[in-house]
Amino acid sequence: INPVTTSIFDAIQEQEKIKHEEAIAQLKPKVDNRWEVAPNFAPVYYNSLSEGSSIDASFSDNSKSADVNFSYGVGVSYAISERLSIRSGISTVDVSYSTGGLELGEGPVSSALKNVDYNRSQIVTIPLDRGTFAAQNSGGGLDNVSLKSTNGDVFVNQNINYYEVPLELKYALFNSKLGVSLIGGVSTFFLGDNEVSVSAGSFNETLGEANNLTNVSFSTNVGLGFDYKFSKKFKFNVEPMFKYQLNPYTDSSVSYQPYILGVYTGFSFKF
């Protein structure tokens, strides 16, 4: 075989290889500005998938109402491909709910709610299931707890603050000017402040802190993302999210199974 002929064939094959690689590169989408930062704000709704009470087991079947609170923070994401990105960040989240169907008493801390660390060490206000004192008059015993006079319906209110660090994947179903995405992942919740209080008409009193909340808990997250692109780098985001907490309490016997619903909005910037 003539060496000159062989070298010509090698050169032709090399040129064909280069053309093939160039064609693949043209078909493969180019991802510019892979990093994205997104301040966010959300109204959040906190409730449970089951009956139960984290304050006291005797309140498990009492009426409960959740409040709408707020979350705000900042997120950072990295585009793995044109459609798939991974993201994290940090947010502060306030959640709360109230328990009704109660009455108030006064008595020693030894007779008070076991899941609350009271601010005072002697005579304290004690929420009890409605009808408890009527049962006492029929022969029950409450360890020196006396009925406290109130002028309205009695509620126990629990307010909790968390610092949330999510780790999520976001996949773009539609990536035009109006985008639609699927979002899934987990969050780590670091406990901040928490407060247990009672209210009855014009009467309000802070009892103390719940002592059965875990310092670090987790959630599973699913949601949808909608965005409107003003430019290649700047867009507006709306993300309805559902987050189910996995281990919010130190006591595994607590049947209250909380979740968080939030609608996260904000502008994001790519760079």
Side-chain angles (χ1 to χ4, degrees), residues 10 53 66 80 88 97 100 105 113 129 138 140-141 154 175 181 208 225-226 232 242 246 248 260 262:
D10 290 342
S53 173
I80 299 172
S88 186
Y97 78 101
L113 300 172
D129 205 2
S138 299
V154 177
N175 208 12
S181 304
F226 304 93
K232 289 184 177 180
F242 174 85
L246 299 176
I260 297 172

Side-chain angles (χ1 to χ4, degrees), residues 2-258:
N2 191 323
V4 175
T5 304
T6 303
S7 64
I8 292 173
F9 283 136
D10 290 342
I12 292 173
Q13 289 179 350
E14 183 64 26
Q15 287 298 317
E16 291 294 329
K17 181 179 179 181
I18 292 172
K19 289 180 180 179
H20 180 68
E21 290 175 349
E22 289 177 348
I24 292 176
Q26 290 177 357
L27 292 173
K28 187 176 181 180
K30 184 180 178 181
V31 180
D32 294 322
N33 305 312
R34 289 181 180 268
W35 290 99
E36 184 173 357
V37 61
N40 59 74
F41 170 83
V44 292
Y45 175 78
Y46 182 76
N47 211 330
S48 174
L49 295 178
S50 67
E51 291 187 349
S53 173
S54 64
I55 302 297
D56 192 271
S58 65
F59 304 158
S60 294
D61 58 352
N62 289 55
S63 63
K64 298 176 182 68
S65 59
D67 298 322
V68 175
N69 292 283
F70 299 99
S71 168
Y72 57 91
V74 63
V76 178
S77 66
Y78 178 80
I80 299 172
S81 68
E82 188 180 44
R83 290 185 179 270
L84 183 66
S85 60
I86 185 170
R87 66 186 195 176
S88 186
I90 186 167
S91 299
T92 180
V93 187
D94 293 319
V95 296
S96 63
Y97 78 101
S98 299
T99 303
L102 304 170
E103 55 192 11
L104 292 181
E106 286 185 325
V109 171
S110 59
S111 300
L113 300 172
K114 303 305 180 186
N115 292 329
V116 176
D117 287 338
Y118 278 73
N119 292 331
R120 292 184 290 173
S121 59
Q122 296 180 358
I123 301 301
V124 297
T125 300
I126 304 173
L128 297 165
D129 205 2
R130 184 181 293 161
T132 301
F133 285 99
Q136 180 192 30
N137 294 334
S138 299
L142 285 177
D143 296 330
N144 299 318
V145 178
S146 59
L147 179 65
K148 185 178 181 68
S149 177
T150 56
N151 61 355
D153 292 335
V154 177
F155 295 93
V156 171
N157 312 299
Q158 183 167 27
N159 299 282
I160 308 170
N161 169 257
Y162 288 110
Y163 297 99
E164 178 188 4
V165 179
L167 182 61
E168 298 169 333
L169 290 173
K170 182 176 181 179
Y171 181 78
L173 299 174
F174 304 101
N175 208 12
S176 55
K177 193 173 186 68
L178 181 62
V180 180
S181 304
L182 294 176
I183 303 168
V186 297
S187 284
T188 303
F189 287 89
F190 299 94
L191 180 64
D193 297 325
N194 87 86
E195 178 185 275
V196 179
S197 63
V198 292
S199 60
S202 60
F203 174 77
N204 289 276
E205 182 180 317
T206 299
L207 302 183
E209 293 187 347
N211 57 29
N212 61 347
L213 293 169
T214 54
N215 290 323
V216 180
S217 59
F218 303 94
S219 73
T220 56
N221 308 341
V222 292
L224 290 172
F226 304 93
D227 62 73
Y228 180 82
K229 299 175 181 65
F230 295 100
S231 68
K232 289 184 177 180
K233 293 186 177 182
F234 188 62
K235 64 184 180 181
F236 176 71
N237 306 285
V238 178
E239 297 178 354
M241 297 289 297
F242 174 85
K243 302 179 181 184
Y244 175 69
Q245 277 190 284
L246 299 176
N247 61 325
Y249 307 110
T250 56
D251 184 358
S252 60
S253 66
V254 175
S255 58
Y256 198 73
Q257 299 175 331

